[in-house]
Amino acid sequence: LPGRDALTGPWVGDVGSSEGPRARLYVNLRIARGYRLQLLRGNRLGGEAVLCTGRRRIELSIIGFTTAWSGKSVDLLLQPVRPSPPELRFDVLGTWDGHTLELKDSSRSLAEALNEPGFVPSAPSRSPRWIGARLSRRPKAAFDSACATLGGQRVASASR
């Protein structure tokens, strides 16, 4: 509807985690091909995403759906475009308030998902593992610029 905020489009933000490197995420959501916008039921979503850390940039595809007729909650699967280890998939639940898109995976840390060389996870603890992202509407150029700053930073690792 004209004048109404939309969940679709580009989103950029920082990724936080209970354990792992600093990262940034770009998400570009759209109504999945072959589906029409449905006002009274959830909508299927598609799109592309990119996750960057100080060591690499990973292109991801998105499939998912809104879980409420308002579109204020989503269930998304972000998976690598190129073949990769199966752990490099993010099954995230999210909420959208019209201005901010928040995504969360409460099953593991970013360190576990990325399995980055040289990163040694700390001993198992009782604290919960999680990956979270708080995204705002920004163009991909803002993401590219933010990723460039990560490239100059060292990824946290344990050295022995």
Side-chain angles (χ1 to χ4, degrees):
L1 298 172
R4 184 172 173 200
D5 291 325
L7 176 61
T8 55
W11 298 89
V12 174
D14 291 329
V15 176
S17 181
S18 56
E19 188 172 55
R22 290 188 57 204
R24 297 231 163 65
L25 181 65
Y26 165 77
V27 170
N28 190 11
L29 289 173
R30 63 180 172 269
I31 301 298
R33 290 186 180 147
Y35 291 93
R36 292 184 317 203
L37 184 62
Q38 299 177 9
L39 296 178
L40 299 178
R41 296 187 310 179
N43 288 290
R44 294 203 182 271
L45 299 170
E48 61 273 346
V50 182
L51 177 77
C52 72
T53 69
R55 292 190 178 188
R56 60 183 163 166
R57 188 176 174 114
I58 304 161
E59 293 182 32
L60 304 161
S61 64
I62 301 171
I63 56 172
F65 53 92
T66 58
T67 57
W69 71 269
S70 65
K72 300 293 183 185
S73 59
V74 295
D75 187 348
L76 303 174
L77 175 63
L78 286 70
Q79 54 191 357
V81 172
R82 294 180 187 87
S84 66
E87 66 270 9
L88 189 54
R89 293 167 46 115
F90 302 97
D91 191 358
V92 296
L93 296 176
T95 57
W96 170 61
D97 66 5
H99 305 287
T100 304
L101 176 61
E102 294 192 37
L103 303 175
K104 189 152 189 177
D105 178 343
S106 299
S107 66
R108 61 208 172 125
S109 71
L110 192 57
E112 292 170 289
L114 293 176
N115 195 20
E116 290 211 331
F119 188 85
V120 179
S122 61
S125 68
R126 294 180 184 205
S127 57
R129 299 174 301 173
W130 57 272
I131 302 168
R134 185 176 174 95
L135 311 173
S136 60
R137 193 164 296 283
R138 309 265 317 267
K140 190 161 191 284
F143 169 78
D144 292 333
S145 176
C147 284
T149 64
L150 284 179
Q153 298 174 356
R154 228 177 138 167
V155 176
S157 64
S159 53
R160 296 182 182 196

